[in-house]
């Protein structure tokens, strides 16, 4: 187990390094100058003293070669220092953590709604005996994945804010402002959960242990809730990293549509301003969340299905037997 965890941690370190490097290269290749954009904050194309621009470039280390910039940024990032925002002068770490609570509330609410939405659709689509209802439920996940997130947000705004006046349209003050953005973010995420869980449930319900449960007199409800749902949920846990990526990527659009201050909105404004330190900090932070979620899921598997550990042990023992057999001298 220790070797497995260390291997996963090494893979996580490689992912974080790759995310940092790719973001650095992409931002470096952009044609515009972040210092000039920050100096001309009004966007009117006002001429700025060249000496002042050179001083700002030297302050942020942008006057050095690309290799020096990369090495300096990487070594500082290893210490948790992502530098200072070129646009605002605020510490990148402070900027991310000040925007994090709003995004955390939004993402948590959206994830809860997505799980409820996805599990309910998958469960009743495979449980109902009414064919028309099952077909309707089966068609919902592909529709939820295909519909653009920004379009869903605009429809919800138009209906529940501007016409019915039930929820506030913009802002992030109070839980009422979270409902519409969370629903917007939960629809594509829940659709993915429903697709994966539906397929897994259909396969699990045809397995021998389910037939054995029926033979022992278990009801259809008990078989589906106690025997099939737990095992069928393993593939859904497998895509947890994808779901986290969907939530983080969707927060950029959702927080922009609903004018919420969060990590997504911070990412959007930083990319527009070509604020390299902030963008790199957000990318590494998102990658860190991604790898931690995937590691937690891998460690959580045995709690769902203890046979996973037994399978790994049997494979290990089989490999050891085969290795020892190969080492034995051949008899003539």
């Amino acid at each position: 187990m220790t070797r497995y965890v260390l291997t996963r941690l090494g893979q996580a370190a490689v992912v974080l390094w790759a995310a940092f490097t790719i973001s650095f290269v992409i931002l470096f290749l952009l044609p515009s100058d972040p210092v000039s954009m920050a100096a001309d904050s009004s966007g009117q194309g006002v001429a700025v003293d060249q000496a002042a621009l050179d001083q700002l470039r030297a302050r942020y280390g942008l006057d050095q070669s690309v290799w020096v910039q990369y090495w300096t940024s990487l070594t500082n990032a290893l210490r948790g220092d992502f530098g200072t925002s070129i646009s605002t002068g605020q510490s990148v770490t402070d900027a991310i953590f000040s925007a994090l609570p709003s995004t955390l509330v939004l993402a948590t609410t959206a994830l809860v709604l997505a799980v409820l939405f996805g599990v309910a659709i998958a469960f009743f689509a495979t449980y109902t005996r009414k064919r028309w209802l099952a077909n309707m439920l089966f068609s919902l996940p592909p529709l939820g994945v295909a519909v653009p997130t920004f379009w869903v947000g605009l429809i919800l705004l138009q209906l529940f804010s501007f016409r019915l006046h039930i929820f506030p349209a913009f802002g992030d003050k109070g839980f009422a402002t979270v409902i519409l953005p969370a629903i917007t973010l939960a629809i594509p995420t829940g659709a993915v959960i429903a697709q994966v869980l539906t397929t897994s449930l259909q396969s699990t319900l045809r397995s021998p242990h389910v037939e054995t449960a029926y033979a022992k007199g278990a009801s259809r409800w008990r078989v589906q809730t106690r025997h099939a749902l737990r095992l069928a949920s393993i593939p859904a846990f497998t895509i947890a990293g994808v779901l986290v990526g969907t939530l983080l990527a969707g927060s950029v659009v959702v927080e922009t549509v609903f004018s919420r201050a969060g990590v997504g909105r911070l990412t959007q404004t930083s990319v527009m301003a070509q604020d390299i330190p902030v963008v790199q900090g957000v990318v590494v932070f998102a990658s860190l969340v991604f790898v931690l979620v995937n590691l937690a899921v891998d460690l959580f598997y045995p709690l769902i299905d203890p046979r996973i550990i037994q399978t790994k042990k049997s494979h290990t023992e089989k490999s050891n037997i085969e290795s020892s057999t190969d080492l034995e001298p051949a008899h003539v």
Side-chain angles (χ1 to χ4, degrees):
M1 188 65 177
T2 303
R3 180 179 179 182
Y4 172 75
V5 173
L6 292 177
T7 302
R8 294 290 293 163
L9 290 175
Q11 294 173 350
V14 173
V15 171
L16 293 176
W17 169 79
F20 179 89
T21 303
I22 292 173
S23 64
F24 179 89
V25 172
I26 292 175
L27 291 170
F28 182 81
L29 293 177
L30 292 178
S32 54
D33 181 12
V35 172
S36 300
M37 295 173 64
D40 184 18
S41 58
S42 62
Q44 302 295 325
V46 179
V48 182
D49 182 53
Q50 187 61 40
L53 292 178
D54 294 338
Q55 185 177 1
L56 284 175
R57 291 191 184 94
R59 176 183 176 183
Y60 293 105
L62 299 178
D63 59 335
Q64 301 176 0
S65 67
V66 60
W67 298 109
V68 174
Q69 293 183 46
Y70 173 75
W71 180 252
T72 303
S73 301
L74 181 61
T75 53
N76 290 337
L78 292 175
R79 298 194 297 268
D81 180 14
F82 292 94
T84 305
S85 170
I86 299 175
S87 302
T88 64
Q90 184 183 16
S91 168
V92 173
T93 305
D94 292 341
I96 294 175
F97 279 99
S98 62
L100 184 60
S102 178
T103 300
L104 191 60
V105 171
L106 174 60
T108 302
T109 307
L111 183 59
V112 171
L113 294 176
V115 170
L116 294 176
F117 164 69
V119 172
I121 288 180
F123 182 86
F124 288 107
T126 54
Y127 181 80
T128 183
R129 297 185 184 275
K130 298 179 180 179
R131 190 169 185 82
W132 67 268
L133 179 58
N135 291 334
M136 184 187 71
L137 293 174
F138 284 140
S139 65
L140 290 179
L143 181 63
V145 173
V147 174
T149 304
F150 74 90
W151 185 81
V152 175
L154 293 176
I155 293 297
L156 293 178
L157 276 176
Q158 183 67 25
L159 180 60
F160 293 101
S161 296
F162 300 143
R163 290 193 178 183
L164 300 179
H165 305 286
I166 298 177
F167 298 106
F170 307 110
D172 54 357
K173 302 298 182 183
F175 188 73
T177 61
V178 181
I179 302 300
L180 293 184
I183 294 175
T184 304
L185 199 55
I187 288 177
T189 307
V192 174
I193 295 175
Q195 281 184 317
V196 175
L197 190 57
T198 298
T199 303
S200 182
L201 268 173
Q202 289 176 320
S203 176
T204 305
L205 289 172
R206 293 191 296 266
S207 60
H209 82 279
V210 171
E211 296 178 358
T212 303
Y214 277 125
K216 291 181 178 180
S219 64
R220 181 179 174 83
W221 179 269
R222 180 178 178 83
V223 167
Q224 190 129 337
T225 54
R226 297 291 298 273
H227 298 277
L229 188 59
R230 187 183 67 176
L231 295 179
S233 64
I234 293 178
F237 277 104
T238 303
I239 62 169
V242 177
L243 299 181
V244 170
T246 302
L247 291 174
L248 293 175
S251 67
V252 177
V253 177
V254 170
E255 290 178 353
T256 301
V257 171
F258 290 92
S259 297
R260 292 180 57 85
V263 176
R265 190 73 180 276
L266 176 66
T267 304
Q268 184 259 339
T269 55
S270 300
V271 170
M272 294 293 294
Q274 200 176 331
D275 198 335
I276 296 176
V278 176
V279 175
Q280 285 184 329
V282 171
V283 169
V284 173
F285 173 77
S287 303
L288 178 62
V289 173
F290 179 85
V291 297
L292 288 178
V293 168
N294 279 276
L295 179 60
V297 168
D298 288 343
L299 298 178
F300 192 67
Y301 276 155
L303 299 179
I304 302 175
D305 188 1
R307 294 176 302 175
I308 294 177
I309 292 182
Q310 297 174 1
T311 302
K312 289 181 178 180
K313 287 183 178 179
S314 63
H315 283 310
T316 303
E317 292 173 357
K318 183 178 179 181
S319 299
N320 292 337
I321 293 173
E322 292 177 350
S323 299
S324 60
T325 303
D326 293 338
L327 292 175
E328 293 179 358
H331 296 284
V332 180

